[in-house]
Amino acid sequence: MWNIAHNLGGFAAPILAGTAARTLGWSWGLWAPGIIALFVGSLIMLTLKDSPEARGFSPVEQITVTSSRPDHNESEIEITPETSVENLSLLDNLFRNVLSNPFIWGLAFTYFCVYVVRQGITSWSVFYLIKEKGVIDAGAAAV
């Protein structure tokens, strides 16, 4: 969802702001996106709930572990955040579960590469079209 939101916003904002500035004056190029952002933000604040449980879904962090040790008789132990065996501090949790995970590093590297390509296309394609292809209007090159 995050990737869709800011890519769509990066595409739609110049078109919206440019159209508003051209038809209603330069100040509306700033006011129009701001008013839309306030409306959407207010809508989200009114409809967003704090947890899945508040929307009627099951808890996210409910884990059931089956113990196969001889002294536990194959019993199921339910672990929730409230009954967790060890309470890690924020930094310990960050280092133990996030930064030591090779899959997280792989995703971060992939995301970095995607952004290099994205920024290259969105930033330099306009200059390329103006210089090499002779497009006169930067707005036309941006679309």
Side-chain angles (χ1 to χ4, degrees):
M1 193 57 125
W2 171 260
N3 201 15
I4 293 170
H6 73 271
N7 282 324
L8 182 62
F11 172 76
I15 295 171
L16 172 70
T19 303
R22 186 178 313 133
T23 56
L24 302 172
W26 70 268
S27 62
W28 278 98
L30 302 174
W31 281 107
I35 290 169
I36 291 172
L38 284 173
F39 174 74
V40 171
S42 299
L43 184 68
I44 289 172
M45 290 293 291
L46 293 173
T47 59
L48 191 65
K49 301 296 181 190
D50 285 338
S51 65
E53 294 88 0
R55 298 295 285 174
F57 296 107
S58 61
V60 175
E61 298 206 19
Q62 187 174 6
I63 303 169
T64 304
V65 179
T66 303
S67 176
S68 61
R69 291 188 348 200
D71 57 337
H72 282 99
N73 299 328
E74 295 288 329
S75 62
E76 288 190 356
I77 304 166
E78 187 174 302
I79 300 173
T80 60
E82 296 81 22
T83 62
S84 179
V85 175
E86 58 179 322
N87 288 328
L88 297 174
S89 70
L90 180 63
L91 286 176
D92 288 339
N93 192 16
L94 175 70
F95 287 121
R96 184 177 291 174
N97 297 322
V98 179
L99 295 179
S100 64
N101 189 339
F103 295 110
I104 299 288
W105 284 100
L107 283 172
F109 181 70
T110 303
Y111 204 62
F112 172 77
C113 293
V114 166
Y115 265 85
V116 167
V117 172
R118 179 181 181 266
Q119 290 295 60
I121 290 171
T122 58
S123 299
W124 291 102
S125 63
V126 174
F127 297 116
Y128 172 77
L129 290 173
I130 290 172
K131 184 174 181 177
E132 298 296 325
K133 299 298 181 181
V135 176
I136 297 170
D137 185 15
V143 175

